[in-house]
Each structure stands twice: as structure tokens, then as C-alpha cells.
Amino acid sequence: REAGIEQPILVLGSMSTQPGVADFVVRYDISHAVFDEERLMLLNEAAVKQGKKAKIHIAVDTGMHRIGVHVKNAGVFAQKAAAYPGIEIEGVFSHFATADAADKEYAALQFERFKKAIREIEAKDIFIPIKHIANSAAITELEQYQMDMVRQGITLYGLHPSVQHYSYGSDRLCGWGKSCPLEYGLHADQRPAGADRGQSMYGSGDAGCIGDP
């Protein structure tokens, strides 16, 4: 903002609850993903103090299992958010886990879950102007899932979003965002240098790995 950028800025990740962060977000007119009451309260307090509105996009977990309210709780959460005087619900979104895979079945399931979450919200007489779920893979391959907005990621760098997966010693493939047991062998995911995907900090299944550097 201080450099003169006036276009909307949306942060899709989890907002830090450290002192001053919510004030910063509101002061610089940054829209932020929200999925819990703690961050709602922090943003509301900052907005009321500054005489402004904190713009939020409600994150819904449809199967990525990273951030977001549960589909069945989307309506109740939106209702709580709408009740805060300093909160403006600008958008609602989710994120595809495996839209870049050849099999689009899971993406279709996530989209149906997202539509259900929207119905839950609208059943509370809350109508959110911006609904979005399409990432780079959906932009290039799934036009039917492009709603009010799309979010371009890796394709900004001229790279295709598809991922090359390998599974050794098992006939089951665990895609990004999903998990399955592998009793034997090794599952590896080939990624270009600098990619942000790797062993989850949450230790999916308490997995470990061994191998050459």
C-alpha cells in the first residue's frame, strides 16, 4: 500500500494472532481468509477501533484438510461473522486438493461440498458476493468450476499445475491432499526445485522416510 498499490489484496492463509497483526490487516485494507472465531474477534476489534470494516473470505474445508470450517458448520460460522459490526464478508472459498490429477472425481466431490456449504450460508439469509474455488488446475482444465473469481498460482510462472507421482511397491497412489496406507515400499512425489510441497509439518500418519540425500 505504501508503494502505491491500490488493487485488492487477499491473503488466503491463516492470519497470525500475534498482537498488532489484525490492526495491520485492517489499516492496509487487506482482505483475509478466516475460519475461526478467534481471528474474527481480533479483526472486528481492530476494525471497530479504526472506524473501518475488516474484509474477510470465509475458508471452507471441502477436502484439502489444511484450513477451513467444516461444510456443515459454514452457515453458522457465516452467521456469527455477519453479527460482528466490524466485519464485512466479502467472499467464501475452498481449495482443490487434486484438481491437477488425471482423475477429476475428487475435484467434483469437493465442488459439490462447496456448493452445499454455500447453500448452508444462504439458508441463513447471508449472500456472499464472491465465491471461489478454482486454482491453476481448474483454470486450465475445469472451466465449469470457475465461479466469481479464480486464483492463479503456479501458472503465473509459466508452469503446468499437473504433478508427476510415483508409487513403488504398491498399486495404490496417494494424491496431494489425500492419504492412504502403504504397507510396503516407497511413495515419492517428484517436484521441481523450490516447490512448496513436502512432508507435512503435521506428520501425516506419523510417516518417516529414509533414502539418499
Side-chain angles (χ1 to χ4, degrees), residues 55-106:
K55 297 177 182 178
I56 69 165
H57 286 234
I58 297 174
V60 180
D61 181 11
T62 58
M64 185 78 172
H65 305 314
R66 182 182 287 170
I67 63 170
V69 299
H70 194 283
V71 170
K72 67 181 181 182
N73 298 328
V76 172
F77 185 80
Q79 192 173 43
K80 289 178 179 179
Y84 284 102
I87 296 293
E88 176 186 340
I89 308 176
E90 183 179 64
V92 57
F93 76 98
S94 190
H95 191 76
F96 285 125
T98 60
D100 55 354
D103 185 349
K104 307 299 185 186
E105 183 179 353
Y106 195 67

Short mmCIF file of all heavy atoms in Angstrom, two decimals, residues 55-106:
data_model
loop_
_atom_site.label_atom_id
_atom_site.label_comp_id
_atom_site.label_asym_id
_atom_site.label_seq_id
_atom_site.Cartn_x
_atom_site.Cartn_y
_atom_site.Cartn_z
N LYS A 55 -12.45 -6.84 5.90
CA LYS A 55 -13.00 -7.68 4.85
C LYS A 55 -12.46 -9.10 5.00
O LYS A 55 -11.25 -9.30 5.09
CB LYS A 55 -12.63 -7.12 3.47
CG LYS A 55 -13.21 -5.74 3.21
CD LYS A 55 -12.75 -5.21 1.87
CE LYS A 55 -13.29 -3.80 1.63
NZ LYS A 55 -12.81 -3.24 0.34
N ILE A 56 -13.36 -10.06 5.01
CA ILE A 56 -12.94 -11.45 5.18
C ILE A 56 -13.48 -12.33 4.07
O ILE A 56 -14.50 -12.02 3.43
CB ILE A 56 -13.38 -12.04 6.54
CG1 ILE A 56 -14.91 -12.20 6.59
CG2 ILE A 56 -12.87 -11.17 7.69
CD1 ILE A 56 -15.39 -13.07 7.73
N HIS A 57 -12.77 -13.43 3.82
CA HIS A 57 -13.24 -14.51 2.95
C HIS A 57 -13.28 -15.75 3.83
O HIS A 57 -12.26 -16.18 4.38
CB HIS A 57 -12.29 -14.72 1.77
CG HIS A 57 -12.39 -13.65 0.72
ND1 HIS A 57 -12.62 -13.93 -0.60
CD2 HIS A 57 -12.30 -12.30 0.82
CE1 HIS A 57 -12.66 -12.80 -1.29
NE2 HIS A 57 -12.46 -11.80 -0.44
N ILE A 58 -14.47 -16.31 3.97
CA ILE A 58 -14.63 -17.50 4.82
C ILE A 58 -14.04 -18.71 4.11
O ILE A 58 -14.42 -19.03 2.97
CB ILE A 58 -16.11 -17.75 5.14
CG1 ILE A 58 -16.68 -16.58 5.96
CG2 ILE A 58 -16.27 -19.06 5.91
CD1 ILE A 58 -18.18 -16.68 6.19
N ALA A 59 -13.10 -19.38 4.76
CA ALA A 59 -12.49 -20.59 4.21
C ALA A 59 -13.32 -21.80 4.61
O ALA A 59 -13.67 -21.97 5.77
CB ALA A 59 -11.06 -20.74 4.72
N VAL A 60 -13.63 -22.65 3.63
CA VAL A 60 -14.39 -23.87 3.86
C VAL A 60 -13.53 -25.08 3.50
O VAL A 60 -12.94 -25.12 2.41
CB VAL A 60 -15.69 -23.89 3.03
CG1 VAL A 60 -16.47 -25.18 3.28
CG2 VAL A 60 -16.56 -22.68 3.34
N ASP A 61 -13.44 -26.02 4.40
CA ASP A 61 -12.66 -27.24 4.13
C ASP A 61 -13.55 -28.25 3.43
O ASP A 61 -14.44 -28.85 4.02
CB ASP A 61 -12.14 -27.83 5.44
CG ASP A 61 -11.31 -29.09 5.21
OD1 ASP A 61 -10.97 -29.37 4.05
OD2 ASP A 61 -11.02 -29.79 6.20
N THR A 62 -13.29 -28.45 2.14
CA THR A 62 -14.06 -29.43 1.36
C THR A 62 -13.27 -30.70 1.08
O THR A 62 -13.76 -31.60 0.40
CB THR A 62 -14.51 -28.83 0.01
OG1 THR A 62 -13.34 -28.40 -0.72
CG2 THR A 62 -15.45 -27.64 0.23
N GLY A 63 -12.04 -30.77 1.62
CA GLY A 63 -11.27 -31.98 1.40
C GLY A 63 -9.78 -31.80 1.30
O GLY A 63 -9.03 -32.77 1.23
N MET A 64 -9.31 -30.56 1.31
CA MET A 64 -7.87 -30.30 1.32
C MET A 64 -7.29 -30.56 2.71
O MET A 64 -6.15 -30.95 2.86
CB MET A 64 -7.60 -28.84 0.91
CG MET A 64 -6.14 -28.49 0.78
SD MET A 64 -5.45 -29.09 -0.76
CE MET A 64 -3.84 -28.33 -0.74
N HIS A 65 -8.11 -30.33 3.74
CA HIS A 65 -7.74 -30.57 5.14
C HIS A 65 -6.53 -29.75 5.57
O HIS A 65 -5.65 -30.24 6.25
CB HIS A 65 -7.50 -32.06 5.38
CG HIS A 65 -8.66 -32.92 4.99
ND1 HIS A 65 -9.97 -32.62 5.33
CD2 HIS A 65 -8.71 -34.05 4.24
CE1 HIS A 65 -10.77 -33.55 4.84
NE2 HIS A 65 -10.05 -34.41 4.16
N ARG A 66 -6.54 -28.50 5.16
CA ARG A 66 -5.47 -27.59 5.59
C ARG A 66 -6.06 -26.50 6.48
O ARG A 66 -5.68 -26.37 7.64
CB ARG A 66 -4.77 -26.98 4.37
CG ARG A 66 -3.61 -26.06 4.72
CD ARG A 66 -2.99 -25.45 3.48
NE ARG A 66 -2.19 -26.41 2.74
CZ ARG A 66 -1.70 -26.16 1.53
NH1 ARG A 66 -1.96 -25.03 0.91
NH2 ARG A 66 -0.97 -27.08 0.91
N ILE A 67 -6.96 -25.70 5.94
CA ILE A 67 -7.67 -24.70 6.74
C ILE A 67 -9.15 -24.73 6.33
O ILE A 67 -9.50 -25.25 5.28
CB ILE A 67 -7.12 -23.27 6.55
CG1 ILE A 67 -7.29 -22.80 5.10
CG2 ILE A 67 -5.67 -23.18 7.00
CD1 ILE A 67 -6.98 -21.33 4.89
N GLY A 68 -10.00 -24.16 7.16
CA GLY A 68 -11.39 -24.01 6.77
C GLY A 68 -12.37 -24.58 7.77
O GLY A 68 -12.06 -25.52 8.51
N VAL A 69 -13.57 -24.01 7.77
CA VAL A 69 -14.65 -24.54 8.60
C VAL A 69 -15.25 -25.74 7.89
O VAL A 69 -15.18 -25.87 6.67
CB VAL A 69 -15.74 -23.48 8.85
CG1 VAL A 69 -15.18 -22.28 9.58
CG2 VAL A 69 -16.39 -23.03 7.54
N HIS A 70 -15.83 -26.65 8.66
CA HIS A 70 -16.48 -27.81 8.08
C HIS A 70 -17.70 -27.36 7.28
O HIS A 70 -18.36 -26.38 7.62
CB HIS A 70 -16.90 -28.78 9.19
CG HIS A 70 -17.28 -30.13 8.70
ND1 HIS A 70 -18.49 -30.40 8.10
CD2 HIS A 70 -16.61 -31.31 8.73
CE1 HIS A 70 -18.56 -31.67 7.77
NE2 HIS A 70 -17.41 -32.25 8.14
N VAL A 71 -17.99 -28.08 6.22
CA VAL A 71 -19.12 -27.75 5.35
C VAL A 71 -20.40 -27.56 6.15
O VAL A 71 -21.13 -26.58 5.96
CB VAL A 71 -19.31 -28.84 4.27
CG1 VAL A 71 -20.62 -28.64 3.53
CG2 VAL A 71 -18.14 -28.85 3.30
N LYS A 72 -20.68 -28.48 7.07
CA LYS A 72 -21.94 -28.42 7.83
C LYS A 72 -21.99 -27.24 8.79
O LYS A 72 -23.07 -26.87 9.26
CB LYS A 72 -22.16 -29.73 8.59
CG LYS A 72 -21.17 -29.98 9.71
CD LYS A 72 -21.45 -31.31 10.40
CE LYS A 72 -20.49 -31.56 11.54
NZ LYS A 72 -20.73 -32.87 12.20
N ASN A 73 -20.83 -26.64 9.09
CA ASN A 73 -20.78 -25.51 10.01
C ASN A 73 -20.68 -24.16 9.29
O ASN A 73 -20.61 -23.11 9.95
CB ASN A 73 -19.60 -25.65 10.96
CG ASN A 73 -19.69 -26.89 11.83
OD1 ASN A 73 -20.79 -27.32 12.19
ND2 ASN A 73 -18.55 -27.49 12.16
N ALA A 74 -20.67 -24.19 7.97
CA ALA A 74 -20.44 -22.96 7.20
C ALA A 74 -21.51 -21.91 7.47
O ALA A 74 -21.21 -20.72 7.61
CB ALA A 74 -20.36 -23.28 5.71
N GLY A 75 -22.76 -22.33 7.52
CA GLY A 75 -23.85 -21.39 7.74
C GLY A 75 -23.80 -20.72 9.10
O GLY A 75 -23.95 -19.50 9.22
N VAL A 76 -23.55 -21.52 10.12
CA VAL A 76 -23.47 -20.99 11.49
C VAL A 76 -22.29 -20.03 11.62
O VAL A 76 -22.41 -18.96 12.23
CB VAL A 76 -23.35 -22.14 12.51
CG1 VAL A 76 -23.08 -21.60 13.91
CG2 VAL A 76 -24.62 -22.99 12.51
N PHE A 77 -21.16 -20.40 11.02
CA PHE A 77 -19.98 -19.53 11.11
C PHE A 77 -20.23 -18.21 10.39
O PHE A 77 -19.87 -17.13 10.89
CB PHE A 77 -18.76 -20.23 10.52
CG PHE A 77 -17.48 -19.45 10.68
CD1 PHE A 77 -16.80 -19.46 11.88
CD2 PHE A 77 -16.98 -18.69 9.64
CE1 PHE A 77 -15.64 -18.72 12.06
CE2 PHE A 77 -15.82 -17.95 9.79
CZ PHE A 77 -15.15 -17.96 11.01
N ALA A 78 -20.84 -18.28 9.22
CA ALA A 78 -21.14 -17.05 8.47
C ALA A 78 -22.09 -16.16 9.25
O ALA A 78 -21.95 -14.92 9.26
CB ALA A 78 -21.74 -17.40 7.11
N GLN A 79 -23.04 -16.77 9.94
CA GLN A 79 -23.99 -16.02 10.75
C GLN A 79 -23.28 -15.29 11.88
O GLN A 79 -23.57 -14.13 12.18
CB GLN A 79 -25.06 -16.96 11.30
CG GLN A 79 -26.27 -16.29 11.91
CD GLN A 79 -27.34 -17.30 12.28
OE1 GLN A 79 -27.06 -18.38 12.81
NE2 GLN A 79 -28.58 -16.97 11.99
N LYS A 80 -22.33 -15.97 12.52
CA LYS A 80 -21.55 -15.34 13.59
C LYS A 80 -20.73 -14.19 13.04
O LYS A 80 -20.64 -13.12 13.66
CB LYS A 80 -20.65 -16.38 14.25
CG LYS A 80 -21.38 -17.41 15.09
CD LYS A 80 -20.42 -18.43 15.67
CE LYS A 80 -21.16 -19.44 16.53
NZ LYS A 80 -20.25 -20.48 17.09
N ALA A 81 -20.11 -14.41 11.87
CA ALA A 81 -19.27 -13.37 11.27
C ALA A 81 -20.10 -12.14 10.91
O ALA A 81 -19.69 -11.00 11.15
CB ALA A 81 -18.57 -13.91 10.03
N ALA A 82 -21.29 -12.37 10.37
CA ALA A 82 -22.15 -11.26 9.94
C ALA A 82 -22.63 -10.43 11.13
O ALA A 82 -23.00 -9.26 10.97
CB ALA A 82 -23.34 -11.81 9.16
N ALA A 83 -22.64 -11.03 12.32
CA ALA A 83 -23.13 -10.32 13.50
C ALA A 83 -22.12 -9.32 14.06
O ALA A 83 -22.49 -8.43 14.83
CB ALA A 83 -23.50 -11.33 14.59
N TYR A 84 -20.86 -9.43 13.67
CA TYR A 84 -19.84 -8.50 14.16
C TYR A 84 -19.94 -7.18 13.41
O TYR A 84 -19.94 -7.16 12.17
CB TYR A 84 -18.45 -9.09 13.98
CG TYR A 84 -18.07 -10.15 14.98
CD1 TYR A 84 -18.11 -11.50 14.65
CD2 TYR A 84 -17.65 -9.79 16.26
CE1 TYR A 84 -17.76 -12.48 15.57
CE2 TYR A 84 -17.28 -10.77 17.19
CZ TYR A 84 -17.34 -12.11 16.83
OH TYR A 84 -16.99 -13.06 17.75
N PRO A 85 -20.00 -6.06 14.10
CA PRO A 85 -20.16 -4.76 13.43
C PRO A 85 -18.97 -4.35 12.57
O PRO A 85 -19.12 -3.57 11.63
CB PRO A 85 -20.34 -3.79 14.60
CG PRO A 85 -19.69 -4.45 15.77
CD PRO A 85 -19.94 -5.92 15.58
N GLY A 86 -17.80 -4.91 12.87
CA GLY A 86 -16.61 -4.51 12.12
C GLY A 86 -16.23 -5.47 11.01
O GLY A 86 -15.17 -5.30 10.39
N ILE A 87 -17.07 -6.45 10.75
CA ILE A 87 -16.74 -7.48 9.75
C ILE A 87 -17.60 -7.33 8.51
O ILE A 87 -18.81 -7.19 8.58
CB ILE A 87 -16.93 -8.89 10.34
CG1 ILE A 87 -15.97 -9.14 11.51
CG2 ILE A 87 -16.77 -9.96 9.25
CD1 ILE A 87 -14.50 -9.20 11.12
N GLU A 88 -16.95 -7.38 7.35
CA GLU A 88 -17.65 -7.44 6.06
C GLU A 88 -17.27 -8.76 5.39
O GLU A 88 -16.10 -9.00 5.10
CB GLU A 88 -17.25 -6.28 5.17
CG GLU A 88 -17.85 -6.35 3.76
CD GLU A 88 -17.35 -5.26 2.83
OE1 GLU A 88 -16.84 -4.23 3.33
OE2 GLU A 88 -17.46 -5.45 1.61
N ILE A 89 -18.26 -9.62 5.14
CA ILE A 89 -17.99 -10.89 4.47
C ILE A 89 -17.94 -10.63 2.97
O ILE A 89 -18.96 -10.51 2.31
CB ILE A 89 -19.05 -11.95 4.80
CG1 ILE A 89 -19.23 -12.09 6.32
CG2 ILE A 89 -18.62 -13.29 4.20
CD1 ILE A 89 -20.34 -13.06 6.71
N GLU A 90 -16.75 -10.55 2.47
CA GLU A 90 -16.54 -10.23 1.05
C GLU A 90 -16.58 -11.47 0.17
O GLU A 90 -17.00 -11.42 -0.99
CB GLU A 90 -15.18 -9.53 0.89
CG GLU A 90 -14.85 -9.07 -0.51
CD GLU A 90 -13.51 -8.37 -0.57
OE1 GLU A 90 -12.47 -9.03 -0.29
OE2 GLU A 90 -13.48 -7.17 -0.88
N GLY A 91 -16.13 -12.62 0.73
CA GLY A 91 -16.05 -13.82 -0.09
C GLY A 91 -16.12 -15.09 0.73
O GLY A 91 -16.03 -15.08 1.96
N VAL A 92 -16.28 -16.20 0.02
CA VAL A 92 -16.22 -17.54 0.61
C VAL A 92 -15.47 -18.41 -0.39
O VAL A 92 -15.67 -18.28 -1.61
CB VAL A 92 -17.62 -18.10 0.92
CG1 VAL A 92 -18.51 -18.14 -0.32
CG2 VAL A 92 -17.54 -19.47 1.57
N PHE A 93 -14.60 -19.28 0.12
CA PHE A 93 -13.78 -20.06 -0.81
C PHE A 93 -13.40 -21.41 -0.24
O PHE A 93 -13.52 -21.67 0.96
CB PHE A 93 -12.51 -19.28 -1.17
CG PHE A 93 -11.45 -19.28 -0.08
CD1 PHE A 93 -10.38 -20.16 -0.13
CD2 PHE A 93 -11.53 -18.40 0.98
CE1 PHE A 93 -9.41 -20.16 0.86
CE2 PHE A 93 -10.57 -18.39 1.99
CZ PHE A 93 -9.50 -19.27 1.92
N SER A 94 -12.92 -22.26 -1.14
CA SER A 94 -12.29 -23.52 -0.75
C SER A 94 -11.14 -23.75 -1.72
O SER A 94 -10.88 -22.91 -2.60
CB SER A 94 -13.30 -24.67 -0.79
OG SER A 94 -12.73 -25.83 -0.18
N HIS A 95 -10.45 -24.87 -1.55
CA HIS A 95 -9.29 -25.14 -2.41
C HIS A 95 -9.28 -26.60 -2.83
O HIS A 95 -9.47 -27.50 -2.01
CB HIS A 95 -7.99 -24.81 -1.68
CG HIS A 95 -6.79 -24.80 -2.57
ND1 HIS A 95 -6.54 -23.76 -3.44
CD2 HIS A 95 -5.79 -25.69 -2.74
CE1 HIS A 95 -5.41 -24.01 -4.11
NE2 HIS A 95 -4.95 -25.18 -3.70
N PHE A 96 -9.06 -26.82 -4.12
CA PHE A 96 -8.99 -28.18 -4.63
C PHE A 96 -7.70 -28.87 -4.18
O PHE A 96 -6.63 -28.27 -4.21
CB PHE A 96 -9.02 -28.18 -6.16
CG PHE A 96 -10.38 -27.91 -6.75
CD1 PHE A 96 -10.56 -26.87 -7.65
CD2 PHE A 96 -11.47 -28.70 -6.41
CE1 PHE A 96 -11.81 -26.63 -8.20
CE2 PHE A 96 -12.72 -28.47 -6.95
CZ PHE A 96 -12.89 -27.42 -7.86
N ALA A 97 -7.83 -30.12 -3.79
CA ALA A 97 -6.66 -30.90 -3.37
C ALA A 97 -5.98 -31.59 -4.54
O ALA A 97 -4.76 -31.69 -4.59
CB ALA A 97 -7.08 -31.94 -2.33
N THR A 98 -6.77 -32.08 -5.48
CA THR A 98 -6.20 -32.92 -6.56
C THR A 98 -6.75 -32.56 -7.93
O THR A 98 -6.89 -33.41 -8.79
CB THR A 98 -6.49 -34.41 -6.28
OG1 THR A 98 -7.92 -34.60 -6.22
CG2 THR A 98 -5.86 -34.86 -4.98
N ALA A 99 -7.05 -31.29 -8.15
CA ALA A 99 -7.59 -30.89 -9.45
C ALA A 99 -6.59 -31.08 -10.58
O ALA A 99 -6.96 -31.13 -11.75
CB ALA A 99 -8.05 -29.43 -9.40
N ASP A 100 -5.30 -31.18 -10.22
CA ASP A 100 -4.28 -31.37 -11.25
C ASP A 100 -4.09 -32.85 -11.61
O ASP A 100 -3.32 -33.17 -12.51
CB ASP A 100 -2.95 -30.77 -10.80
CG ASP A 100 -2.48 -31.29 -9.45
OD1 ASP A 100 -3.22 -32.04 -8.81
OD2 ASP A 100 -1.35 -30.93 -9.04
N ALA A 101 -4.79 -33.74 -10.94
CA ALA A 101 -4.67 -35.17 -11.24
C ALA A 101 -5.49 -35.52 -12.48
O ALA A 101 -6.43 -34.82 -12.86
CB ALA A 101 -5.16 -35.99 -10.06
N ALA A 102 -5.14 -36.63 -13.10
CA ALA A 102 -5.88 -37.08 -14.29
C ALA A 102 -7.32 -37.44 -13.93
O ALA A 102 -8.25 -37.18 -14.69
CB ALA A 102 -5.16 -38.27 -14.93
N ASP A 103 -7.50 -38.03 -12.77
CA ASP A 103 -8.84 -38.40 -12.29
C ASP A 103 -9.45 -37.19 -11.57
O ASP A 103 -8.95 -36.75 -10.54
CB ASP A 103 -8.72 -39.58 -11.33
CG ASP A 103 -10.08 -40.12 -10.87
OD1 ASP A 103 -11.11 -39.44 -11.13
OD2 ASP A 103 -10.11 -41.19 -10.24
N LYS A 104 -10.51 -36.66 -12.11
CA LYS A 104 -11.14 -35.46 -11.57
C LYS A 104 -12.28 -35.77 -10.60
O LYS A 104 -13.01 -34.85 -10.19
CB LYS A 104 -11.68 -34.58 -12.71
CG LYS A 104 -10.67 -34.25 -13.79
CD LYS A 104 -9.48 -33.47 -13.25
CE LYS A 104 -8.56 -33.04 -14.39
NZ LYS A 104 -7.32 -32.41 -13.90
N GLU A 105 -12.43 -37.02 -10.20
CA GLU A 105 -13.56 -37.41 -9.35
C GLU A 105 -13.54 -36.68 -8.01
O GLU A 105 -14.58 -36.22 -7.52
CB GLU A 105 -13.55 -38.92 -9.14
CG GLU A 105 -14.73 -39.43 -8.31
CD GLU A 105 -14.72 -40.93 -8.13
OE1 GLU A 105 -13.88 -41.61 -8.75
OE2 GLU A 105 -15.56 -41.43 -7.36
N TYR A 106 -12.37 -36.58 -7.40
CA TYR A 106 -12.28 -35.94 -6.09
C TYR A 106 -12.55 -34.44 -6.20
O TYR A 106 -13.18 -33.85 -5.31
CB TYR A 106 -10.92 -36.20 -5.46
CG TYR A 106 -10.87 -35.88 -3.97
CD1 TYR A 106 -11.59 -36.64 -3.07
CD2 TYR A 106 -10.11 -34.82 -3.49
CE1 TYR A 106 -11.57 -36.36 -1.70
CE2 TYR A 106 -10.07 -34.53 -2.13
CZ TYR A 106 -10.79 -35.30 -1.24
OH TYR A 106 -10.76 -35.00 0.11
#
